[in-house]
Amino acid sequence: MQESPVSSPVYRAPSRSLLSNLLIAFLSAGLMVWTFRLIQERFFSITSVDAVVNGIVTDIRAPQAGVVSTLRGSTGKPLDRDQPLLTIENRRISQLQIESLKGKLSQQQAELERAEAKLNQQLTLLQTVTVDQEQQQYLETVAAQHSTEKVASDLKGAQARHQLAKVNYDRIRYLAAQGALSQSRLDAAAAEVQERSAEVTGLERQIKALQASEQAARLNLSLAKTSSNSDPRIRLEELQMQIADQRQVIQTLRKSIQGTEAELAQANIDVERQQSVVVNAPTTGVIWRLAVQPGKFVQQGESLGQVLNCSGRWVDAFVDEQAARSLQPGTPATVKLYGAESQVLQGQVSSIRPGSGRLSAGEDIAVPVASNAPRKAQVRVDLDPGTEQGSFEQFCYVGHTAQVSFKVR
């Protein structure tokens, strides 16, 4: 009996579970996404080789020599603009200017006292001269009145004699016409009439002159051609001019004293301020470095420390020169900080400087560069306004290494 052949066993692949299939599909999709992003990053973006956050550091200089007495901050502490940072004291500030102004003020005050004393003397003398002038006017008026009255009395006598001469002349002329008297008597009578008439005319003129003098005396005037300095009226005018000049001198001295007092007050303020000078923060930011401690003596212009302006930061990135050809000012950039991965900053390219580490600009001596030396370009990225400044304790991330990605077309 022939035996039937024995059939060999058939191998069957184990069937995969649904979970395994989903896992493979998920991994495949992730690999595809990663590949796509890698390709996109390779062809549509540029990544920096190295990058560091930079910022503006303002140096603080000592405004004058002195000892640091008070320090109101420490490295890493935030500051507001014009916030007091430290105090410098110097009690050896020269007070020579103050002493000079005090001497000048004392001299001006002494001159003012002398000028006021002289003015008082002149005012006293003015009263005396005024009285003398009034008396002189009175005497001249009275004298003119008396002279006028005397001449008026003489005029009346002359007029009476002139009238009598005229009557006598008429009688002699009548008698001479009758032949009772000679012609010589008539001529003598006519001559007397003329003489009396001339006398009356002279006295009338003299009265007019005296009346004019009396009127001039009442008006404090003089009809004389010249007057000596002994005349009270002339002396009064001279004294009034001297008093006006002296008052102007006093007014000028008082203004000078006011100016000197203001200078002295300002000099005292300046000395007091120089003896204790408060140094304020030049900008809002964080203390980057302090070079002094309380009790240290500093010279004028010496560096006291530095303040970092957190709002004026930028990123210095380094990329391959080949890749830098695709960059231009305005290219958007994304900055990821190492050690602070949660911080992602945005900015844009502001300048590109090729030849980093290979060229010293301005030197006329050529330095050979190795063929395998890295060819890098420095790219400055200005951060967008309003970018998060970061922690002051970390100096607003200035000095942090970063990775910069540039979005290129």
Side-chain angles (χ1 to χ4, degrees), residues 213-233:
S213 297
E214 181 181 354
Q215 185 66 21
R218 293 181 186 276
L219 297 176
N220 199 20
L221 300 175
S222 176
L223 298 179
K225 293 182 179 180
T226 58
S227 296
S228 64
N229 289 334
S230 61
D231 191 333
R233 290 169 295 190

Side-chain angles (χ1 to χ4, degrees), residues 349-367:
V349 176
S350 62
S351 63
I352 303 172
R353 176 179 294 172
S356 177
R358 297 167 56 86
L359 173 66
S360 296
E363 294 185 0
D364 58 354
I365 301 177
V367 178

